Every structure is written in structure tokens, then in C-alpha cells.
Amino acid sequence: PRREGEILVVDVGGPVTVVSFASLDLDSFFPRFAFRRSFATLGLNQIYVRDFDFSWYQRGLKYTRGGFEGALRLLQGQIDDLGAPAVAIGASMGGYASVLYGARLNLAGALAFSPQTVLDAETRAGMGDHRWPKAYAKLDSRAPRPFDLRQELAGSPLPVTLWCGQDDPLDVAHAEQIAGLANVRLHMLPAKHDVPHMLRDGGTLRDAILDFIIGLPGIDTDAVEALRARAPQALAAVLDD
């Protein structure tokens, strides 16, 4: 593994690179890298990213120069070095980032579990979304206005697979903001905000991830299917997000 500031890069010579964005973790100064154990022996290159500022990656990475554009340049350089098509993945705040950065970096696709999709104060208030008041207050106190995934996807061909728990009204409200777009595929299931954990517990997380990757343009389908056949089913039972 190669470490660079707020990212961890793991090059295994895989046919696909997964850029995994960590979710909000207000209880820890060091937010955990997301899905790290799930990808550990799956045969895919990995770039793990975490936002120490807890600002939905709006301002890039706290200890990387250049703000949002600097984070884009850093990740693009790492993706280029790995030399494989790249996808983004994340849950909640990380799901928001997977779509935002996936669109800006022209990645092959984005997989988002229970993401927020619109972060401006007015729209959140209309939804009744007050789940993380301290983090939201910090976000609202700074310019510029948060990126709106509706606008990001309206000008991007990025294929997005969105998983949402139908028992969480706020997650449903966020999903509905982008679900009608042609490049968004929505999966609803009986769950609340912890969709990845539910898939993990049901033994279907690994296949959900691989099915998403295999369906994308520019992906070596045979190479990814070979990874599926080789990987132990036990990988689906481990998630550290």
C-alpha cells in the first residue's frame, strides 16, 4: 500500500480501480476508510479517501492543497498511475462524494448507498433533514453553496447505481431528487439508513458491487467475473463502514 495524506492507495494490478469515499464519523478524529476489508482480497485496485473536515468533500481534502480542484487533481493522478478504469463507491456522505467526484473525474460509474443528494440549507429544511446539526451548520457557514447532485448529473453521462432503504423517509427524499434522471438506476429495499450493512448481513454486498461494475461501459467483464469466481463468499460478510 502507498499512503498519501488522507488517502490510501492499494495497487494489486487489478482490472478496475475502486475509489472508496468514507462516510461521516463525528465520533472519531480519524474517520475510517470505507469498505476496506470488503475489498482487501477481491482483486481490485483501491483508493480510499476520507474527509477530516466532515464537509461532504465540498472543499476537497483538509490537508491537501488546492481545495476541491486540488483533490480532483490528486485523485486523477492516482487513478492514472494505476492504469485501470475507475469507479467510485460510498455510503451516506461517501455516497454523495462518489457521485460528485465520479462526475467530475469522468469515472466509469458511481455506486452510492443512502446518499445525500442536495445539501443547501433551504432544500434540507424542506425535507426536514436535520440529522447532523453540527456538520450541517459547519457546511452552511461556509461559501460557496454546496454542490447539487441534480445539477452535476444533468451535465454528466456518469452511470449511477443508487441503493436506498425505503424505511428511511429522508433517504427516500434525497434519492427522489435524482432518481428520475436517465443515467440513475435506483434499487429500493426494506431497510433504513444502513443499507450496506443489510446487504452484508444477507451475503449480497459483494455481488451488488461486482454486478454494478460489470454493467459499466469500458469494463473488462470477463476479468471481473473471474474475480467473482475466485473471491471467497466470506468477503461479503465484512464491512468496516
Side-chain angles (χ1 to χ4, degrees), residues 91-103:
S92 195
M93 181 180 78
Y96 170 89
S98 73
V99 177
L100 174 61
Y101 282 74

Side-chain angles (χ1 to χ4, degrees), residues 2 8-19 44-47 75-86:
R2 303 198 307 273
L8 170 65
V9 181
V10 181
D11 182 359
V12 298
V16 176
T17 294
V18 178
V19 185
L44 302 173
N45 305 321
Q46 305 129 56
I47 302 176
L75 292 175
Q76 186 66 68
Q78 297 292 348
I79 291 168
D80 291 345
D81 286 347
L82 291 169

Side-chain angles (χ1 to χ4, degrees), residues 14 16 39 102 124 130 160 189 216 231:
V16 176
F39 289 123
R124 290 198 328 264
H130 308 289
V160 176
L189 71 166
L216 297 172

Side-chain angles (χ1 to χ4, degrees), residues 122-168:
E122 298 86 353
T123 304
R124 290 198 328 264
M127 293 178 177
D129 187 352
H130 308 289
R131 288 176 286 184
W132 304 285
K134 290 184 179 179
Y136 279 157
K138 186 176 183 180
L139 189 66
D140 296 340
S141 68
R142 300 179 178 181
R145 187 181 180 90
F147 296 110
D148 186 326
L149 294 190
R150 296 172 299 186
Q151 298 174 7
E152 296 294 326
L153 290 175
S156 170
L158 177 76
V160 176
T161 294
L162 173 60
W163 286 82
C164 178
Q166 64 191 31
D167 299 330
D168 190 313

Side-chain angles (χ1 to χ4, degrees), residues 178-202:
I178 62 173
L181 298 175
N183 49 333
V184 176
R185 182 180 180 185
L186 175 62
H187 296 278
M188 299 286 288
L189 71 166
K192 294 187 176 180
H193 191 62
D194 56 347
V195 170
H197 293 85
M198 182 173 182
L199 293 174
R200 173 203 64 187
D201 294 344

